[in-house]
Amino acid sequence: MQITMIGTGYVGLVSGACFADFGHRVTCVDKDAGKIERLHQNIMPIYEPGLDALVADNVAAGRLTFTTDTASAVADADVIFIAVGTPSRRGDGHADLSYVYAAVREVAAAVKKPVVIVNKSTVPVGTGDEVERIVREVAPDADICVVSNPEFLREGAAIDDFKRPDRIVVGTEDARAREVMSEVYRPLFINQSPLMFTARRSSELIKYAANAFLAVKITFINEMADLCEAVGANVQDVSRGIGLDNRIGSKFLHAGPGYGGSCFPKDTLALLKTAEDFEAPVKIVEATVAVNDSRKRAMGRKIVKAMGGEIRGKTVALLGLTFKPNTDDMRDSPAIAIAQTLIDEGAHVRAYDPEGIEQAKLVMKDVEFATDAYSCAEGASALVIVTEWNEFRALDLARMKSILAEPVLVDLRNIYTPAEARRIGLEYTSVGRG
Ligand SMILES: NC(=O)c1ccc[n+]([C@@H]2O[C@H](COP(=O)([O-])OP(=O)(O)OC[C@H]3O[C@@H](n4cnc5c(N)ncnc54)[C@H](O)[C@@H]3O)[C@@H](O)[C@H]2O)c1
């Protein structure tokens, strides 16, 4: 199959490289000429484990190419995936679909043969209908099917998720499109990954419902963590105790500083807007969004409290800035609000992240960046673990204590135990542990 991927970001690049690895011929298109230029030199525009080797192998095999020229890239395509961004629209929280619609116009104007346009971007219910309308307007005689195929990969484990998905959801009721999509994903479902066909609107909603459910689950355990602190219980035991129940499951039950990232915050908001427009409120998601929003600054206040209540003029060292480990993605990371709260209280914030510093510099002003965990901690009045990168799991805590100005460790990811921190003489604060 000849596949064209419009948008070469976290989703487009990973999906494109994986499709090429399955044996399809793939052209990845991006408007960002710098990104495409770097890809021509095998320099990855994002940090994702294993991606550079996967891209290099498939480029060398002649199955994966990159371009900025949409028209030439779609001319021979059997399938065109749209994988452009759908950020929150400024002001109202609706999904901003302008990139999707612009991409569809460009594609529809350039197709030369029957083709399936697949929306892989996360888009609100009904977007497929509007895409179809645009296609008919731009190319009334073209033979084009519009399909929904949301993506569920997680940054940091994206290649594995793409190659071994729990399920593949395809929204179409068109027989030819079903055949084409079956062919695209054949290598996966012969490997037992269920390929699920639905109506297009159901497929679009599945993506939002899945993300909202996971956001609710995280927020639920975060509120349980606060309750644990109030009543003297341990949230890790509570989490294990409920997670071993198969009906609940143990994933997404780790208490922490609140969810962030490029998907949950914007997708929960967009779902609320859809629910509002259709007069079918989803109050549980409304509460989740509100609770999570207030949690990030609450984590800043937790740090202030752990430092004795007055932090003006003191240095706070933050370890981990990305919204989760193994990515450089800083979009809506809790670290941003936490650092701002500390700065607002008069502290100097020094931070270190293994892969996220370049992105962090774009969104975190007034923060000093360090080159490793120990130089970050030097002379600080508190060390705060914000993101649980592996390299923070086995810190030399005795060395940390010796270089800190005050022996305060705030562990927002519960990766240490109170006993081991206290043995070394660190004043230890975690999330939801009594
Ligand atoms: N990042 C994730 O973990 C993830 C997971 C599942 C779904 N999604 C969804 O996938 C979509 C893409 O997300 P992302 O994180 O990959 O975004 P991204 O911002 O990393 O990448 C989008 C890319 O599209 C390019 N682009 C925009 N308009 C274009 C056009 N007309 N032609 C060619 N290129 C164009 C941009 O330059 C950018 O490089 C979003 O809807 C997102 O919600 C993301």
Side-chain angles (χ1 to χ4, degrees):
M1 288 244 132
Q2 181 74 45
I3 295 176
T4 299
M5 189 66 65
I6 308 291
T8 309
Y10 287 87
V11 166
L13 182 54
V14 171
S15 313
C18 288
F19 280 139
D21 212 43
F22 296 158
H24 297 307
R25 279 162 290 123
V26 180
T27 304
C28 288
V29 184
D30 207 284
K31 284 262 170 263
D32 182 338
K35 212 173 241 191
I36 295 300
E37 185 47 43
R38 287 197 293 285
L39 283 163
H40 282 145
Q41 298 166 36
N42 199 37
I43 301 169
M44 295 304 103
I46 55 168
Y47 174 74
E48 180 61 43
L51 187 60
D52 44 1
L54 186 75
V55 168
D57 287 353
N58 284 285
V59 168
R63 290 189 297 262
L64 180 61
T65 54
F66 301 102
T67 181
T68 53
D69 181 8
T70 306
S72 69
V74 302
D76 284 336
D78 301 304
V79 189
I80 300 165
F81 282 87
I82 308 290
V84 300
T86 49
S88 280
R89 193 162 69 189
R90 257 170 208 273
D92 67 3
H94 271 284
D96 177 353
L97 296 172
S98 58
Y99 301 100
V100 171
Y101 294 151
V104 167
R105 282 184 184 280
E106 290 160 28
V107 162
V111 294
K112 302 237 176 324
K113 57 181 234 196
V115 72
V116 177
I117 294 182
V118 186
N119 212 340
K120 200 167 242 328
S121 298
T122 302
V123 293
V125 171
T127 303
D129 303 357
E130 177 62 11
V131 166
E132 203 163 273
R133 196 197 60 73
I134 293 172
V135 163
R136 304 281 165 251
E137 179 192 311
V138 177
D141 301 325
D143 183 357
I144 299 175
C145 282
V146 177
V147 169
S148 158
N149 169 222
E151 182 49 56
F152 299 98
L153 62 77
R154 293 163 303 169
E155 290 174 15
I159 295 170
D160 206 50
D161 281 353
F162 195 88
K163 289 190 166 183
R164 271 170 281 275
D166 293 337
R167 78 305 203 186
I168 302 148
V169 175
V170 176
T172 181
E173 281 158 320
D174 181 278
R176 177 168 65 92
R178 280 175 77 124
E179 226 172 85
V180 169
M181 294 303 283
S182 299
E183 186 58 25
V184 166
Y185 281 110
R186 202 173 58 85
L188 282 184
F189 70 80
I190 54 174
N191 241 352
Q192 308 295 318
S193 296
L195 179 59
M196 174 185 166
F197 286 102
T198 72
R200 198 165 57 200
R201 285 185 167 230
S202 303
S203 168
E204 289 168 337
L205 189 55
I206 285 169
K207 174 65 189 173
Y208 283 101
N211 275 358
F213 189 86
L214 294 172
V216 168
K217 204 171 174 191
I218 295 172
T219 306
F220 176 81
I221 202 66
N222 283 340
E223 287 206 307
M224 283 301 124
D226 292 347
L227 186 56
C228 283
E229 284 181 17
V231 302
N234 182 328
V235 73
Q236 283 181 310
D237 292 339
V238 172
S239 175
R240 189 168 149 73
I242 63 173
L244 284 170
D245 183 328
N246 283 334
R247 293 168 303 176
I248 296 174
S250 58
K251 299 208 172 126
F252 282 76
L253 283 182
H254 301 289
Y259 62 77
S262 61
C263 292
F264 289 178
K266 77 171 177 66
D267 292 347
T268 44
L269 270 188
L271 180 63
L272 292 185
K273 291 297 163 186
T274 299
E276 205 178 297
D277 288 350
F278 285 83
E279 294 179 11
V282 280
K283 293 201 179 301
I284 213 163
V285 182
E286 283 172 25
T288 295
V289 168
V291 169
N292 193 67
D293 274 353
S294 60
R295 185 166 188 82
K296 297 176 186 177
R297 278 185 79 88
M299 290 297 113
R301 292 195 298 277
K302 187 183 186 78
I303 298 164
V304 174
K305 196 168 162 209
M307 294 174 69
E310 178 53 60
I311 64 169
R312 189 162 298 282
K314 293 184 176 179
T315 296
V316 183
L318 302 185
L319 295 187
L321 297 173
T322 51
F323 79 98
K324 67 174 177 181
N326 292 326
T327 180
D328 60 347
D329 202 336
M330 282 297 298
R331 288 177 279 187
D332 268 317
S333 174
I336 301 169
I338 291 171
Q340 194 56 54
T341 309
L342 300 171
I343 291 166
D344 292 347
E345 293 286 323
H348 172 67
V349 174
R350 193 188 295 137
Y352 166 68
D353 187 277
E355 295 291 341
I357 289 181
E358 287 315 306
Q359 292 301 316
K361 282 180 179 165
L362 304 175
V363 289
M364 295 174 87
K365 306 296 171 199
D366 306 320
V367 170
E368 178 192 352
F369 294 97
T371 51
D372 66 272
Y374 296 95
S375 61
C376 184
E378 189 80 51
S381 296
L383 181 65
V384 184
I385 295 165
V386 183
T387 310
E388 71 281 28
W389 284 86
N390 274 342
E391 69 174 76
F392 304 146
R393 288 180 183 273
L395 293 171
D396 180 345
L397 291 183
R399 181 175 165 203
M400 280 297 181
K401 180 173 180 261
S402 72
I403 59 178
L404 284 167
E406 293 171 65
V408 175
L409 174 60
V410 182
D411 180 1
L412 298 181
R413 299 290 182 168
N414 291 345
I415 60 177
Y416 289 97
T417 62
E420 65 193 319
R422 285 177 193 140
R423 199 166 42 240
I424 285 157
L426 287 165
E427 290 165 28
Y428 182 71
T429 304
S430 61
V431 176
R433 291 193 289 180

